[in-house]
Amino acid sequence: MEVIIPNEPSQIPVLVADAICALVERKPDATLGIATGSTPLAIYDELARRHDAGELSLARAKAFMLDEYVGLPAEHPERYRNVIDTAFTSRLDIDPANVHGPDGLADDLAEACADYERRIVEAGGVDLQILGIGTDGHIAFNEPGSSLASRTRIKTLTSQTRIDNARFFGGDIEAVPRHCLTQGLGTIMDARHVVLVALGKGKSEAVHNLTEGPVSALWPATILQHHPHASVLLDPGAASRLQLSDYYREAYESKPAWQGL
Ligand code: F6R
């Protein structure tokens, strides 16, 4: 796991966009794993800027979302499919038919999850997965206690996550759905490169456990310690509880420029 704390936090979306551009250059039909929430928005802004500048085309790329709320009406603005349409799909030249998400409105949710796993495999697997992290240590919506080998399935959100996400629902915790479909930790671990971004002091405990704690279902993101290619990009607030932050900074400063993420 490589921990990067850039001197200038505004570099974070630039570094992630650089990695995506390098991937698409060597593999134009690459498969991206995309996250929702506030953390990746600056990355999508940077991708859109590069697309508008003629520097990036996702015309042949595919994308898979991490998760979806169960039961939110099709037109609800916070349905993750709609959030991704607005923040990502509509601003790039990716074919909307190639942007996939779990179907939180399916009659048979278990079958929808199995179907999602099949579609990821048929697409050849995820090349680069963007991740945020919850204050309770979740990635996608794998809440504490999730099996470290889990696949796409229905999960119940913790009250902490519903409190955290109430800001997207006018501050009304009761409006935040209780259930979601989410890629499992095993599904995420199959991605060839995972890039996790955490911003702000509110994430510092989760980040400390992610990078320096024991691997445990209590902090689900810790499974990434077993990933062969995991990049963790942090701003100073998110990095504020790390024991080894001086070492991470020193290692990054002396990293060869050609290496990328
Ligand atoms: C969203 C997702 C979640 C978020 C996490 C952090 O698709 O998978 O794990 O990444 O809840 O959310 P923000 O970025 O809003 O702090």
Side-chain angles (χ1 to χ4, degrees), residues 93-154:
D93 60 350
I94 193 165
D95 181 347
N98 284 335
V99 180
H100 305 269
D103 182 2
L105 289 171
D107 290 334
D108 185 341
L109 292 172
E111 176 47 32
C113 293
D115 175 61
Y116 199 56
E117 287 279 332
R118 276 193 296 271
R119 280 191 278 155
I120 295 173
V121 171
E122 279 163 20
V126 171
D127 291 297
L128 186 152
Q129 176 65 59
I130 299 169
L131 294 172
I133 186 168
T135 57
D136 65 1
H138 69 227
I139 49 173
F141 275 142
N142 293 281
E143 297 286 31
S146 289
S147 158
L148 299 179
S150 47
R151 312 301 307 186
T152 303
R153 68 210 183 291
I154 187 166

Side-chain angles (χ1 to χ4, degrees), residues 35-40 66-67 80 131-134 138-141 165 167-168 203:
T36 41
S38 32
T39 307
L66 281 171
D67 40 22
Y80 278 174
L131 294 172
I133 186 168
H138 69 227
I139 49 173
F141 275 142
N165 286 8
R167 69 189 193 281
F168 298 116
K203 300 291 174 71

Side-chain angles (χ1 to χ4, degrees), residues 44-199:
Y44 301 148
D45 288 346
E46 178 63 14
L47 294 178
R49 191 194 65 71
R50 291 180 192 208
H51 170 259
D52 293 347
E55 296 165 12
L56 169 69
S57 172
L58 295 180
R60 294 179 53 201
K62 296 163 275 200
F64 283 84
M65 294 162 52
L66 281 171
D67 40 22
E68 181 60 274
Y69 291 117
V70 168
L72 277 190
E75 68 285 357
H76 195 291
E78 289 308 322
R79 189 178 172 231
Y80 278 174
R81 156 67 65 184
N82 297 333
V83 172
I84 283 295
D85 280 350
T86 306
F88 178 81
T89 315
S90 63
R91 303 165 74 197
L92 295 155
D93 60 350
I94 193 165
D95 181 347
N98 284 335
V99 180
H100 305 269
D103 182 2
L105 289 171
D107 290 334
D108 185 341
L109 292 172
E111 176 47 32
C113 293
D115 175 61
Y116 199 56
E117 287 279 332
R118 276 193 296 271
R119 280 191 278 155
I120 295 173
V121 171
E122 279 163 20
V126 171
D127 291 297
L128 186 152
Q129 176 65 59
I130 299 169
L131 294 172
I133 186 168
T135 57
D136 65 1
H138 69 227
I139 49 173
F141 275 142
N142 293 281
E143 297 286 31
S146 289
S147 158
L148 299 179
S150 47
R151 312 301 307 186
T152 303
R153 68 210 183 291
I154 187 166
K155 281 296 284 182
T156 304
L157 297 174
T158 60
S159 13
Q160 182 61 56
T161 297
R162 294 179 69 232
I163 290 166
D164 290 346
N165 286 8
R167 69 189 193 281
F168 298 116
F169 291 82
D172 180 5
I173 294 160
E174 286 312 310
V176 184
R178 283 183 188 275
H179 295 109
C180 62
L181 303 185
T182 178
Q183 285 190 29
L185 294 170
T187 320
I188 293 168
M189 287 293 284
D190 286 345
R192 286 179 269 279
H193 182 194
V194 295
V195 179
L196 185 146
V197 176
L199 306 174

Side-chain angles (χ1 to χ4, degrees), residues 6 8-17 43 197-199 233-235:
E8 188 44 68
S10 61
Q11 277 303 103
I12 292 176
V14 175
L15 291 170
V16 179
I43 299 170
V197 176
L199 306 174
L233 292 100
L234 307 172
D235 72 359

